[in-house]
Amino acid sequence: MDHYDSQQTNDYMQPEEDWDRDLLLDPAWEKQQRKTFTAWCNSHLRKAGTQIENIEEDFRDGLKLMLLLEVISGERLAKPERGKMRVHKISNVNKALDFIASKGVKLVSIGAEEIVDGNVKMTLGMIWTIILRFAIQDISVEETSAKEGLLLWCQRKTAPYKNVNIQNFHISWKDGLGFCALIHRHRPELIDYGKLRKDDPLTNLNTAFDVAEKYLDIPKMLDAEDIVGTARPDEKAIMTYVSSFYHAFSGAQKAETAANRICKVLAVNQENEQLMEDYEKLASDLLEWIRRTIPWLENRAPENTMHAMQQKLEDFRDYRRLHKPPKVQEKCQLEINFNTLQTKLRLSNRPAFMPSEGRMVSDINNAWGCLEQAEKGYEEWLLNEIRRLERLDHLAEKFRQKASIHEAWTDGKEAMLRQKDYETATLSEIKALLKKHEAFESDLAAHQDRVEQIAAIAQELNELDYYDSPSVNARCQKICDQWDNLGALTQKRREALERTEKLLETIDQLYLEYAKRAAPFNNWMEGAMEDLQDTFIVHTIEEIQGLTTAHEQFKATLPDADKERLAILGIHNEVSKIVQTYHVNMAGTNPYTTITPQEINGKWDHVRQLVPRRDQALTEEHARQQHNERLRKQFGAQANVIGPWIQTKMEEIGRISIEMHGTLEDQLNHLRQYEKSIVNYKPKIDQLEGDHQLIQEALIFDNKHTNYTMEHIRVGWEQLLTTIARTINEVENQILTRDAKGISQEQMNEFRASFNHFDRKTGMMDTDDFRACLISMGYNMGEAEFARIMSIVDPNRLGVVTFQAFIDFMSRETADTDTADQVMASFKILAGDKNYITVDELRRELPPDQAEYCIARMAPYTGPDAVPGALDYMSFSTALYGESDL
């Protein structure tokens, strides 16, 4: 062994020959060692931004020597002395030698003074000791290490190549084929090995050295001419250079493995983040739709016409039929995506996904509940408004009819009452005027009820907020004012006639009797005509039957009325006979009444014509009510079947989800068959919707044949679809968990049996039941451990544990997934002996998208050995797993 080797070096390689320390180095070997050791030192010093030019001069002050040891060891040495005196330099070199000795290297005859004095032999010997310790000692191949391990590695790698026979670290490398074979074995694209010739060592060596420097980042430590021109190249120089190949290629293999592991973790993480983004967008869109829809459903601005309200009802039906069903599907899909994402996160040992504020599944369910409540209130308001407008239209028409009849009756009455004909009349005329006035008073009293009815209808229209109330009130007020005036005028005329009565006492009794009987009969006919022409509105067959009965009773009174008519006409005929007989000067008219026999006969004929028309109207309404009754029975029959069917299916799905018949795939197939049968039942729901629409179009508001409303059926149907979809998703997640965790069917059955035993038939366990279940399965835990487990199975702190969360926890400890420590170890391999990793290294080792993903989540490295583009890869673990996993 060379004379400057330390005793410790014997532990790394066996000496081939002994050298006298006092002899000089072979000049050729010294040149090779100078170049090789200088290049090796610079390959490490450049990481710290410096280098050396002269190996025996640049290490004399100890500063770069200490820096070299810090770079290759990754450790901090004692603070160096910055003085220029010899004592400062010796102190720095001693600190470096002490550090080398602390690594188990026993230095022999190498002192700080010799290094400070620039002793070439001692300096090269010290550098060789450092190379042995930090570059060669740790090489291990098949239970061999150091020199033998490196030699065995070279032999294994070059074995398939012709003309290459590596037996040592000197003459076996002279032809350059060994170096080319090592490069071609690991990077065949860099060298065309087939074109190399053993008889051209200079070309071979220069090719290997140039390729290694350009593509493998291995500095050129040897000169081809020196190796070819030396009978036995320097073994230490060759070993140093070859060890750089070993570290370059073994590091590349580890980096590839580490990169693959990082790619796998990043791919899963990127997929999960995409799912989170999709959930946030879908939740935002659904909440925005609910936010826009609820104000529309809460709008209670009334319409003035039935047509406008009918249009609002049609718009509401379009919303129920066209706009809402897709949103129901989106809500169901949102819950499915949320559950799937949580399952994937648990399988990846990632924290549970917490949506942004206001976008939790519970928030969406609450908003959906508000939407359905607004729907219910809006539909009730629409129907009530239609009833109100229908009632208002009926009352308004009735008011107009009665007002028109009354106004026709009062026309000219004021002028008549203001006449003073009695001043020039004869006694008989006065008596006639008095009797006529009495008849008018009787007629006036008979019209009192009509005036009160008109006022009552106007009052009801005001109470129901009729849109044309001002005109109704004005007309009603005019009638009332006129009525009061008629009363006052009537009283005034009566007083005048009574004063004159004392003077004139001749009264025509027959005319008086005619007037007295004709006036009530005329009022009766006018009332009959009014009743026969009166519009009616009914909602049940019983109501129309009541109107029909009343009409039949009215028709039964017609014979007696006809007798009264004939009697009145008989009185008039008798008056005419007396006038003709006694030649009474009556001018051919009845002074007591304006009602003529022609009027009575005309109104009587009109009454007889109105009776069959009333019969026809009642018959048509009776048929319409019978049709409505059939619609009620038809809807009730279907609703009484569909309602219990939905309830039965809900119970059956609940039993399937908790029973343990067959495998999870069997349960999934069973549920999908149920889902298919449920979907096939949709035409019956649609048929019931059609019947319900017919009922609403017929303005049918109640149904005694069923307790189910269309709203009950819709809500039950939507709950059934949501329940079967959610149950299928839970079983799919259980299958995903089982396959990912390697759980057997027997284990799944055991988990299900334990869960069902403590489940209170609700599909989930509360905190006490879950604790009892864990104890029954052999878990012995305190409050802190139980709290930790609850944070895993119930991250949202709802106080319940689902079966999916239960099996995730039971299989958690058997999970074989990458942990944070593994990922950090992979990054450590990529970083090598540095405390950081550069942007260029990440982009070289990882696919572009995943490299940029890591760069975006790493903090800049700010250590004293930082270089441009350095990143603190420890910050990636915090970004990916959180503080709790580190």
Side-chain angles (χ1 to χ4, degrees):
M1 193 172 186
D2 289 346
H3 55 277
Y4 53 77
D5 285 347
S6 67
Q7 183 63 38
Q8 181 64 28
T9 307
N10 291 323
D11 296 336
Y12 306 144
M13 44 190 302
Q14 294 295 326
E16 296 180 0
E17 53 184 321
D18 294 327
W19 293 77
D20 189 341
R21 260 187 71 83
D22 296 328
L23 295 178
L24 294 175
L25 286 172
D26 184 303
W29 285 12
E30 179 181 342
K31 178 181 179 182
Q32 292 178 18
Q33 287 185 15
R34 278 175 177 270
K35 180 177 181 59
T36 301
F37 291 177
T38 299
W40 183 87
C41 291
N42 284 335
S43 69
H44 293 286
L45 287 173
R46 69 181 179 183
K47 297 176 184 178
T50 186
Q51 64 180 8
I52 60 173
E53 299 296 337
N54 189 309
I55 196 167
E56 69 270 17
E57 291 295 330
D58 292 346
F59 284 142
R60 291 180 62 184
D61 61 2
L63 294 177
K64 290 188 178 181
L65 178 59
M66 293 179 69
L67 181 60
L68 173 65
L69 291 174
E70 287 183 344
V71 171
I72 63 178
S73 67
E75 299 179 19
R76 284 288 185 184
L77 273 68
K79 185 176 181 180
E81 301 286 346
R82 294 297 178 179
K84 300 296 183 179
M85 300 178 64
R86 176 178 175 83
V87 66
H88 297 142
K89 296 179 181 180
I90 292 175
S91 175
N92 290 338
V93 173
N94 276 327
K95 290 177 182 178
L97 296 179
D98 290 343
F99 178 78
I100 296 173
S102 69
K103 298 301 179 181
V105 178
K106 184 178 181 182
L107 297 172
V108 178
S109 300
I110 297 179
E113 293 81 1
E114 296 170 307
I115 303 300
V116 171
D117 291 339
N119 188 306
V120 177
K121 293 181 293 181
M122 294 304 162
T123 301
L124 292 177
M126 177 188 65
I127 297 302
W128 173 241
T129 301
I130 293 173
I131 293 173
L132 284 176
R133 173 59 183 86
F134 292 101
I136 299 177
Q137 177 184 354
D138 294 335
I139 296 175
S140 177
V141 179
E142 295 186 4
E143 300 182 357
T144 61
S145 59
K147 176 181 179 181
E148 288 77 8
L150 181 61
L151 183 62
L152 180 59
W153 177 79
C154 295
Q155 291 171 343
R156 292 290 176 84
K157 296 298 181 179
T158 60
Y161 294 86
K162 64 180 180 179
N163 297 327
V164 178
N165 183 17
I166 304 301
Q167 298 297 327
N168 50 52
F169 286 106
H170 36 80
I171 60 175
S172 295
W173 302 87
K174 286 189 65 174
D175 57 10
L177 291 178
F179 295 111
C180 293
L182 285 178
I183 296 174
H184 186 268
R185 180 64 181 271
H186 294 91
R187 298 287 298 276
E189 76 278 6
L190 299 180
I191 290 179
D192 187 355
Y193 189 82
K195 293 182 179 181
L196 301 177
R197 303 198 316 272
K198 188 175 181 65
D199 59 356
D200 190 5
L202 282 175
T203 299
N204 298 340
L205 290 167
N206 285 323
T207 298
F209 297 161
D210 292 341
V211 168
E213 183 176 31
K214 183 176 181 180
Y215 297 103
L216 303 180
D217 199 24
I218 299 175
K220 191 173 182 180
M221 303 181 184
L222 302 171
D223 285 329
E225 292 77 4
D226 293 342
I227 296 176
V228 173
T230 303
R232 187 175 185 272
D234 183 63
E235 184 177 55
K236 297 176 178 61
I238 298 294
M239 283 181 65
T240 301
Y241 189 53
V242 171
S243 69
S244 297
F245 281 88
Y246 173 84
H247 289 297
F249 291 134
S250 63
Q253 183 175 0
K254 292 178 181 177
E256 180 180 359
T257 302
N260 290 337
R261 180 179 290 113
I262 294 172
C263 289
K264 177 181 177 183
V265 173
L266 295 180
V268 172
N269 194 59
Q270 289 173 319
E271 179 182 357
N272 290 341
E273 289 192 354
Q274 185 61 46
L275 287 175
M276 294 177 190
E277 293 177 2
D278 293 343
Y279 173 89
E280 290 284 346
K281 183 178 185 305
L282 187 58
S284 297
D285 292 346
L286 183 58
L287 288 171
E288 176 62 19
W289 178 82
I290 294 174
R291 185 192 66 77
R292 294 195 312 268
T293 304
I294 287 180
W296 174 68
L297 294 173
E298 291 177 345
N299 182 14
R300 299 293 187 271
E303 299 291 344
N304 293 330
T305 65
M306 178 68 75
H307 175 73
M309 288 306 299
Q310 290 284 4
Q311 184 59 46
K312 278 195 172 185
L313 182 61
E314 187 61 29
D315 293 341
F316 182 71
R317 289 177 183 148
D318 287 342
Y319 158 79
R320 277 271 181 80
R321 184 173 59 253
L322 302 176
H323 303 297
K324 184 181 178 185
K327 299 303 178 182
V328 173
Q329 182 63 30
E330 288 181 13
K331 177 176 176 292
C332 179
Q333 188 62 43
L334 189 70
E335 294 181 5
I336 291 173
N337 291 350
F338 180 83
N339 294 334
T340 301
L341 174 60
Q342 296 294 43
T343 299
K344 289 186 176 182
L345 290 173
R346 285 193 296 270
L347 294 176
S348 302
N349 285 338
R350 292 292 309 282
F353 170 57
M354 292 296 293
S356 58
E357 184 177 358
R359 294 185 175 87
M360 297 288 292
V361 174
S362 59
D363 296 325
I364 295 173
N365 288 334
N366 291 337
W368 192 264
C370 294
L371 175 71
E372 293 184 333
Q373 186 65 29
E375 280 183 25
K376 181 179 179 182
Y378 188 68
E379 185 176 27
E380 291 175 355
W381 175 78
L382 283 175
L383 297 179
N384 289 334
E385 277 295 298
I386 289 175
R387 293 191 189 100
R388 184 181 70 84
L389 289 176
E390 187 178 37
R391 173 67 176 164
L392 285 174
D393 288 346
H394 171 68
L395 288 175
E397 181 61 25
K398 191 172 183 179
F399 174 84
R400 286 189 290 270
Q401 288 184 1
K402 288 185 177 294
S404 297
I405 294 173
H406 178 78
E407 289 166 347
W409 177 82
T410 59
D411 185 37
K413 293 296 188 294
E414 289 185 4
M416 181 197 72
L417 292 172
R418 288 189 173 95
Q419 289 179 4
K420 295 185 178 181
D421 51 344
Y422 54 85
E423 294 179 347
T424 59
T426 64
L427 179 61
S428 60
E429 290 174 343
I430 290 299
K431 288 187 178 290
L433 288 176
L434 183 59
K435 297 301 181 183
K436 181 180 178 181
H437 188 73
E438 290 177 354
F440 174 76
E441 285 181 327
S442 178
D443 195 10
L444 186 67
H447 280 78
Q448 178 68 34
D449 290 339
R450 181 177 289 114
V451 174
E452 292 176 355
Q453 290 174 5
I454 290 172
I457 293 172
Q459 178 64 27
E460 187 171 0
L461 287 172
N462 278 280
E463 291 174 353
L464 294 176
D465 295 329
Y466 182 55
Y467 77 97
D468 199 22
S469 292
S471 64
V472 170
N473 292 336
R475 191 173 184 182
C476 179
Q477 187 62 44
K478 182 179 178 181
I479 290 172
C480 292
D481 293 341
Q482 186 186 39
W483 182 255
D484 294 337
N485 192 33
L486 284 175
L489 291 173
T490 299
Q491 182 64 26
K492 182 177 180 181
R493 183 174 177 81
R494 181 169 184 75
E495 291 174 354
L497 289 173
E498 286 177 348
R499 286 193 303 268
T500 308
E501 188 181 19
K502 296 177 180 180
L503 301 173
L504 304 172
E505 298 178 348
T506 304
I507 298 175
D508 191 340
Q509 293 296 327
L510 290 175
Y511 271 155
L512 181 60
E513 184 179 0
Y514 174 87
K516 286 184 178 181
R517 295 183 70 173
F521 185 73
N522 183 63
N523 286 337
W524 175 86
M525 286 191 299
E526 287 181 352
M529 287 188 294
E530 182 179 342
D531 292 338
L532 290 172
Q533 295 179 87
D534 188 17
T535 58
F536 55 86
I537 179 170
V538 295
H539 297 290
T540 65
I541 196 168
E542 290 78 11
E543 292 177 356
I544 192 61
Q545 287 174 349
L547 290 177
T548 302
T549 301
H551 183 62
E552 292 298 324
Q553 292 173 353
F554 167 77
K555 290 196 295 184
T557 64
L558 290 178
D560 294 335
D562 191 39
K563 290 178 182 180
E564 178 66 11
R565 180 183 66 87
L566 294 175
I568 294 172
L569 293 178
I571 295 174
H572 184 271
N573 292 334
E574 186 177 356
V575 169
S576 298
K577 183 179 179 180
I578 294 173
V579 169
Q580 292 176 4
T581 302
Y582 297 100
H583 304 287
V584 177
N585 186 17
M586 299 298 297
T589 60
N590 191 330
Y592 306 118
T593 182
T594 59
I595 301 173
T596 65
Q598 293 77 14
E599 238 182 302
I600 292 175
N601 286 331
K603 290 182 179 180
W604 176 257
D605 292 338
H606 192 202
V607 169
R608 297 299 299 269
Q609 292 172 0
L610 290 175
V611 168
R613 296 179 189 174
R614 186 72 168 184
D615 289 336
Q616 182 179 0
L618 291 172
T619 301
E620 291 175 353
E621 182 62 26
H622 189 272
R624 191 175 76 86
Q625 290 302 323
Q626 286 181 327
H627 175 69
N628 290 351
E629 186 66 8
R630 287 194 296 272
L631 289 178
R632 289 187 181 97
K633 291 180 179 180
Q634 181 177 337
F635 178 87
Q638 293 187 71
N640 290 335
V641 172
I642 293 176
W645 182 87
I646 291 176
Q647 182 63 32
T648 300
K649 290 299 180 182
M650 290 286 287
E651 294 172 356
E652 290 175 354
I653 292 171
R655 287 197 298 271
I656 292 174
S657 65
I658 64 175
E659 291 175 355
M660 298 184 295
H661 298 313
T663 64
L664 291 176
E665 285 77 7
D666 294 338
Q667 294 181 28
L668 183 60
N669 292 334
H670 198 183
L671 286 170
R672 285 176 174 162
Q673 292 174 2
Y674 264 89
E675 184 182 37
K676 183 177 181 182
S677 68
I678 290 171
V679 172
N680 292 337
Y681 204 80
K682 183 64 165 57
K684 295 186 178 180
I685 303 295
D686 295 339
Q687 181 181 356
L688 189 63
E689 284 280 8
D691 292 343
H692 178 65
Q693 182 172 349
L694 293 176
I695 285 177
Q696 288 193 327
E697 291 172 352
L699 300 179
I700 299 172
F701 304 108
D702 55 2
N703 193 343
K704 65 183 179 180
H705 302 291
T706 180
N707 292 326
Y708 291 98
T709 65
M710 196 63 228
E711 182 63 23
H712 294 152
I713 299 298
R714 290 192 194 103
V715 172
W717 178 253
E718 292 172 0
Q719 289 178 347
L720 180 61
L721 292 178
T722 301
T723 299
I724 187 64
R726 185 186 298 113
T727 305
I728 289 175
N729 178 250
E730 289 175 355
V731 175
E732 289 174 341
N733 285 339
Q734 292 172 21
I735 293 174
L736 180 63
T737 302
R738 182 199 63 190
D739 295 340
K741 303 297 186 177
I743 303 173
S744 66
Q745 185 61 44
E746 289 75 16
Q747 288 176 311
M748 290 296 294
N749 291 341
E750 180 182 356
F751 294 159
R752 171 55 78 179
S754 299
F755 185 92
N756 289 346
H757 179 75
F758 290 90
D759 176 22
R760 300 178 187 272
K761 307 306 180 185
T762 61
M764 58 188 71
M765 293 186 289
D766 60 24
T767 304
D768 294 335
D769 292 336
F770 180 59
R771 184 196 299 273
C773 181
L774 292 179
I775 293 173
S776 70
M777 299 182 71
Y779 281 82
N780 184 14
M781 62 209 157
E783 287 299 326
E785 177 63 12
F786 182 73
R788 184 191 69 80
I789 294 174
M790 282 301 297
S791 68
I792 295 173
V793 300
D794 184 22
N796 295 328
R797 299 183 179 179
L798 301 177
V800 294
V801 180
T802 64
F803 179 67
Q804 181 63 40
F806 177 74
I807 62 172
D808 287 344
F809 167 73
M810 296 307 298
S811 59
R812 185 182 179 93
E813 295 183 358
T814 61
D816 186 17
T817 58
D818 289 324
T819 64
D821 290 339
Q822 291 176 319
V823 174
M824 290 304 101
S826 300
F827 274 118
K828 181 66 177 175
I829 292 174
L830 292 179
D833 51 8
K834 307 186 301 298
N835 293 322
Y836 56 84
I837 189 167
T838 66
V839 173
D840 293 338
E841 288 172 338
L842 280 175
R843 288 174 176 162
R844 184 175 64 247
E845 299 297 342
L846 300 181
D849 58 337
Q850 295 179 348
E852 298 305 324
Y853 180 87
C854 292
I855 293 169
R857 285 158 176 76
M858 290 186 185
Y861 178 73
T862 58
D865 56 339
V867 299
L871 299 173
D872 182 4
Y873 57 82
M874 290 301 294
S875 63
F876 182 76
S877 177
T878 303
L880 184 61
Y881 291 95
E883 296 292 343
S884 60
D885 288 332
L886 296 178

